[in-house]
Amino acid sequence: MKFTIPQLWRTIAQLLTDLPAALLSKSLICLTSLLSILLSLLLRFVLQYRKTVIRKNLTSSFPTKSAGEIRKLMSAYYRHMSDLLLEPFLFYLAPERLRKRLAKYINPEVLELLRANQRPVIVFASHYGNWEYLIFLNHTAATAVFT
């Protein structure tokens, strides 16, 4: 495959343009992951946030699990909670390309159709995910978003 000089320069320019965004995306994800681990350790071992309640609820919910399995579940709970606390900041700071990878809005045209017909809409987000991601829904669908 032969490149002309202008094509080569355009390709190099595109790579140089994409490189900082790609590096920023990777570094944000790594930094957020590291902060999540540190935050989960802080919540679990230093602050002991709701430790008794969490252990009691897990033991009641899973009476056949061993103490070691309950500890693993507690660890997973703290890590998940830390992820939920940090992901909105990651999403806010992330470049557009990374935001598109983190949140996928399915059927935004339905919202646009309802808005065009002046129909009110309420969007529910699952408790497992981050409802904060809905803030950028208006970038996908031409509709106002209030959270």
Side-chain angles (χ1 to χ4, degrees), residues 6-72:
Q7 288 174 326
L8 183 62
W9 282 116
R10 274 196 295 273
T11 304
I12 291 170
Q14 186 65 42
L15 287 172
L16 291 175
T17 305
D18 291 346
L19 185 62
L23 290 174
L24 178 63
S25 296
K26 294 285 185 198
S27 61
L28 276 175
I29 290 173
C30 290
L31 179 63
T32 305
S33 184
L34 177 64
L35 286 174
S36 179
I37 291 167
L38 294 174
L39 181 60
S40 68
L41 293 172
L42 176 75
L43 289 171
R44 185 174 179 195
F45 295 111
V46 178
L47 300 176
Q48 297 186 357
Y49 176 75
R50 298 183 60 161
K51 182 179 177 180
T52 309
V53 173
I54 295 166
R55 182 179 289 122
K56 180 180 173 241
N57 287 345
L58 288 172
T59 305
S60 298
S61 298
F62 304 105
T64 59
K65 298 255 186 222
S66 68
E69 290 171 311
I70 295 294
R71 279 193 301 276
K72 283 183 183 177

Side-chain angles (χ1 to χ4, degrees), residues 20-37 79 82-83 86-87 89-91 93-103 133:
L23 290 174
L24 178 63
S25 296
K26 294 285 185 198
S27 61
L28 276 175
I29 290 173
C30 290
L31 179 63
T32 305
S33 184
L34 177 64
L35 286 174
S36 179
I37 291 167
R79 179 64 197 272
S82 298
D83 286 345
L86 292 173
E87 281 178 1
F89 298 106
L90 166 68
F91 197 71
L93 295 172
E96 188 71 25
R97 176 187 279 170
L98 180 57
R99 280 191 207 132
K100 286 180 181 178
R101 270 195 13 227
L102 292 172
Y133 287 2

Side-chain angles (χ1 to χ4, degrees), residues 75-137:
S75 180
Y77 167 78
Y78 282 110
R79 179 64 197 272
H80 176 69
M81 188 170 68
S82 298
D83 286 345
L84 289 179
L85 289 170
L86 292 173
E87 281 178 1
F89 298 106
L90 166 68
F91 197 71
Y92 180 75
L93 295 172
E96 188 71 25
R97 176 187 279 170
L98 180 57
R99 280 191 207 132
K100 286 180 181 178
R101 270 195 13 227
L102 292 172
K104 293 188 183 356
Y105 305 109
I106 299 170
N107 300 331
E109 64 278 358
V110 173
L111 292 175
E112 293 171 357
L113 178 65
L114 291 169
R115 183 170 185 248
N117 292 326
Q118 297 181 342
R119 301 285 308 266
V121 176
I122 297 175
V123 177
F124 291 94
S126 74
H127 182 66
Y128 192 76
N130 271 325
W131 59 268
E132 293 91 348
Y133 287 2
L134 292 175
I135 290 170
F136 287 94
L137 179 60

